[in-house]
Amino acid sequence: MPRYDYDLITIGAGSGGVRGTRLAGGYGARTAIIEEERVGGTCVLRGCVPKKLLVYGAHYAEHLEDAVNYGWSVDGASHDWARMIDTKNVELDRLNGIYLRILRENNVEVVDGRGVLTDPHTVEVNGKSMTAEKILVAVGGWPSTPDIPGVEHVISSNEALELRELPKRMVIVGGGYIAVEFAGIFAALGVEVTEVIRAEAILRGFDHDIRVNLTDEMQKRGVKVLSETVIRSIEKDGDVYTLRCAGNEIIETDLVMYATGRTPNTAGLGLAEAGVELAGNGAVMVDEWNQSSVESIYAVGDVTDRIALTPVAIQEGRAFAETHFNGNPLTVDYDDVPSAVFSTPPVGSVGLPEEVARARYGDIDVYVSRFKPLVHTLSGRDERSFMKLVVDAHTDRVLGAHMVGLDAPEIIQGVAIAIKCDATKAQFDATTGIHPSAAEEFVTMREKRPNPERVQAAE
Ligand code: NDP
């Protein structure tokens, strides 16, 4: 008679939890996964997938404009937001069904309800106790908002994905991934978007040139970026919201969305009571094996607040399952993780930003290219793509590749393989370009950008 009901109980059926559990189930473990909402998690239900579908939908606005000089007549074209939301939801239902099927096919019992730990091997759900040798916490994160008067009036990306109609004006607070992505969606569909950021520029942590070039492109599309602006309070009067800023400026708008980061979803889960060490923001502290301070409790994905990206959560889930249920100890390599921002135009980035590379390696070479994409020579759109390589001057190794412009995420994914293989600039240069493409710029950049320190030393 086994000591526990299951070998593994997972709380949270998002990307990381599902991957870890279904692999464990496939390897023969007795598994259950507990989910209080629908199976799929943030990425499938409230994040990457629905967001990207809306990005595609919004981009048709530009495609239609751009088509005219290619001979198309697009008079009378109009957009039905509610229809896009409905079709997007049909797709989410389909994906939810696929996730459920995959879990069942891998012998994972799916339990609807909220799981709360009562001891290091026991989870209570729907008034019933379930025990397991190992417990995997994969409950993800949730939008967090600052505690200011009137914050109850704001929406998050969760609600933005479900709006029934578009406002005329909208304020988006925050300058991270979510804020710039939604600014692009709404602006393309005709909403007057003001993005309010407390910092000097959007996308903290990205290469400076990327931040500047994307801001420039967003502004060309009508997004107003208010930097170094802090909102103190929000009042609602009828359908109008009044935002009072620290410098006494007042902004009036029809909808306020906050995208000011996400917090691990651990409140009320019984983790601290079970002895699990949590960070100040509630994240589960884990080691490289995804193990918490309690031997039987593990965590993967956004709840651990390492790199909050779906593919990383999936790698962590896989590493957990391989290690514990397939006799194949595996850890995740967090170096050179590429990422994309599905802004308009999008950003792709891998490796070190120039500023970080300079601080870490000292002497670096920088190559940049800024050009009008071929498609826009005819469309007439005033858009520039920007690409950048950061190279270690001593070893010639490419330390970072960054891009703002059409297809940036698709292009950077391939470049990321080269960077993961420690490719040198000489190897980039020895690679034949694909012509005509934007991607070929990454293998044809010959002119180093003057190094400010070397220029200064020479003077
Ligand atoms: P981010 O951490 O990317 O950005 C948060 C933004 O909110 C920053 O601009 C930050 O400003 C600002 N901010 C934080 N607190 C406050 C405050 N009190 N008042 C005003 N502004 C504030 O979070 P997101 O919510 O955009 O996204 C969460 C995470 O989800 C991302 O970090 C990313 O890992 C993931 N994600 C990935 C996507 C992708 O891969 N394409 C898409 C969407 C999300 P400051 O810069 O000054 O700190």
Side-chain angles (χ1 to χ4, degrees), residues 54-55 57-62 65 79 81 84 163 166-172 178-195 214-215 217-225 257 342-345 381:
L54 298 199
V55 169
H59 279 182
Y60 281 101
E62 289 194 354
E65 286 172 12
H79 185 250
W81 167 269
M84 177 166 74
L163 290 177
L166 288 176
K168 184 168 174 297
R169 302 168 297 178
M170 179 170 190
V171 166
I172 300 181
I178 297 179
V180 297
E181 290 179 341
F182 279 83
I185 293 169
F186 290 118
L189 295 174
V191 179
E192 292 166 29
V193 176
T194 302
E195 184 164 346
L214 178 61
T215 305
E217 292 299 331
M218 286 171 65
Q219 284 171 335
K220 282 185 203 165
R221 287 168 167 80
V223 176
K224 198 165 151 193
V225 180
M257 169 177 159
F342 294 97
S343 44
T344 311
R381 179 172 297 283

Side-chain angles (χ1 to χ4, degrees), residues 51 146 174-178 181 198-199 204 259-262 308-309 340 342:
K51 175 275 312 288
Y177 285 79
I178 297 179
E181 290 179 341
R198 63 181 180 183
R204 188 194 294 277
T260 46
R262 297 173 62 86
L309 295 175
F342 294 97

